[in-house]
Amino acid sequence: MAVAGRYDCVTKTPMGTMKGLMTVVPGDGDTFTGTITGDLGSLELRDGTIAGDTIAWKMTMTSPMKIELDCKATITGDDLAGKIKAGFFGSMDLLGTRAG
């Protein structure tokens, strides 16, 4: 799977720019799991699906408040670009580059 790997990511949030390392682990068929670890700790990537070069997943942020995050990104070569939908906070840009 071309989308598997680790990505150095940056998310533009209402609290400022957050950095993290996202790990995408292939599952059965067109599924994946993983984590993103960064400024706010570690979050599990769940319900991950793959459609071509597009991945989608959910996360639950617990700090500074609990909120469900719906995420979608396209991976082109070593670059990742997408959006994180965070309830009433709206959508946040997610950018990443495959980590070496």
Side-chain angles (χ1 to χ4, degrees), residues 2 9 17 26 51 68 72 81:
C9 293
T17 300
E68 289 295 319
K72 189 173 189 177

Side-chain angles (χ1 to χ4, degrees), residues 85-98:
K85 187 174 178 183
F88 59 86
F89 288 111
S91 292
M92 302 175 284
D93 291 330
L94 170 68
L95 299 173
T97 303
R98 195 177 299 269

Side-chain angles (χ1 to χ4, degrees), residues 1 9 12 14 19-20 22 25 29-30 36 38 47-49 85 91 98:
M1 164 177 47
C9 293
K12 307 288 185 180
K19 295 180 182 178
M22 185 169 86
V25 179
D30 292 333
I36 187 163
D47 301 331
T49 59
K85 187 174 178 183
S91 292
R98 195 177 299 269

Side-chain angles (χ1 to χ4, degrees), residues 5-9 20-24 35-37 45 55 57 73 75 80 94:
R6 298 178 331 139
Y7 298 86
D8 289 314
C9 293
L21 178 65
M22 185 169 86
T23 302
V24 176
T35 58
I36 187 163
T37 303
L45 310 183
I55 60 175
W57 69 98
I75 298 173
L80 177 147
L94 170 68

Side-chain angles (χ1 to χ4, degrees), residues 41-52:
S42 184
L43 300 176
E44 175 187 356
L45 310 183
R46 65 178 202 289
D47 301 331
T49 59
I50 304 163

